[in-house]
Amino acid sequence: MRAVPNWAVATAVAAPVLLVTGWTVAQARQPAGYDPIRDTISELAGQDATDAWIMVTALVLLGCCYLAVAAVLHAAGLPSRFLLAVGGVATIALVAFPRPPVGGSLSHGIAATVAVLALALWPAGSALRLPRGPDAAHPDAAQPPWAFRRTVGLSATLVLLALFAWSAFEVTSGSRTGLAERVTAVAVSLWPLLAVLSARRAHLAWATAGVTPVGPALPGVVPPDPLRPADGPDRLA
């Protein structure tokens, strides 16, 4: 399994920074009537927004960050990486279907829903491919990175889906749509960063243990790679 490169860590860090910086700068350029608690992020990139290019650029770069992380995060497994990539493409698609000045846009709503759902579901993808308990077939296998353990991944997805449900409620019958959307967007942008840091830490620990065996380990014996799936070699490596 290949290590997580430094640029991938920087890209994962950039995702939430781009998101928050983008909407902070963009909403400062809007008329006084814009309310970040009530009004959505999409309005900042809408057809009637002031300097819409600010939020458009932030969303495009955010989507590219998701795609870049999906390309190199081999520890997550192909299904999770695919969902993360779908989330990145759908995030970029948001700017191709801007919100109109009056009313809604079905295309924009579909792109936003696909983006949030894909980014909410991808943590569970890697968790579901792991064994439910100790792996009898590989008793010496190391634990996977914490972000890809079953309970952690499933818990992350449940939290993100709950935030998505809150956003959906606010859109249909609430008055804090902007707040719900911002909290959800930040949450889904933070998990790729946590996953990258988890995979990188696990790989560094494995590599260090392989160079300097501890205890009764024989010289030159490398412990199991925690980033390799327990059910066989990683075909993505």
Side-chain angles (χ1 to χ4, degrees):
M1 174 67 67
R2 286 173 286 181
V4 179
N6 292 331
W7 65 262
V9 178
T11 300
V13 171
V17 173
L18 283 168
L19 180 64
V20 175
T21 302
W23 82 48
T24 300
V25 175
Q27 70 191 26
R29 298 290 300 156
Q30 305 311 307
Y34 182 85
D35 182 359
I37 302 298
R38 180 193 66 232
D39 300 321
T40 67
I41 301 172
S42 298
E43 294 180 39
L44 299 174
Q47 296 176 357
D48 62 339
T50 302
D51 291 334
W53 65 269
I54 298 174
M55 200 66 229
V56 167
T57 302
L59 289 173
V60 170
L61 292 177
L62 177 63
C64 291
C65 287
Y66 293 146
L67 289 171
V69 172
V72 299
L73 193 57
H74 300 279
L78 185 57
S80 285
R81 292 167 63 193
F82 175 76
L83 285 172
L84 181 56
V86 169
V89 172
T91 300
I92 297 173
L94 288 172
V95 305
F97 306 105
R99 182 167 177 170
V102 180
S105 168
L106 178 60
S107 299
H108 183 86
I110 292 174
T113 301
V114 171
V116 178
L117 279 179
L119 294 171
L121 291 172
W122 85 272
S126 57
L128 290 175
R129 71 189 178 97
L130 296 174
R132 292 182 179 274
D135 188 359
H138 304 82
D140 297 326
Q143 285 288 318
W146 66 266
F148 304 109
R149 295 175 187 175
R150 178 179 292 270
T151 54
V152 176
L154 293 179
S155 298
T157 287
L158 288 176
V159 171
L160 296 178
L161 287 177
L163 292 175
F164 172 74
W166 177 35
S167 296
F169 169 78
E170 293 293 343
V171 168
T172 56
S173 55
S175 59
R176 296 173 293 180
T177 305
L179 175 62
E181 189 178 70
R182 282 163 172 77
V183 173
T184 303
V186 169
V188 298
S189 71
L190 284 175
W191 190 254
L193 172 59
L194 296 176
V196 164
L197 293 176
S198 173
R200 183 176 175 84
R201 179 180 180 183
H203 190 278
L204 291 175
W206 169 77
T208 303
V211 173
T212 309
V214 179
L218 296 176
V221 175
V222 180
D225 187 345
L227 303 191
R228 177 167 296 173
D231 54 356
D234 185 359
R235 296 181 178 86
L236 297 175

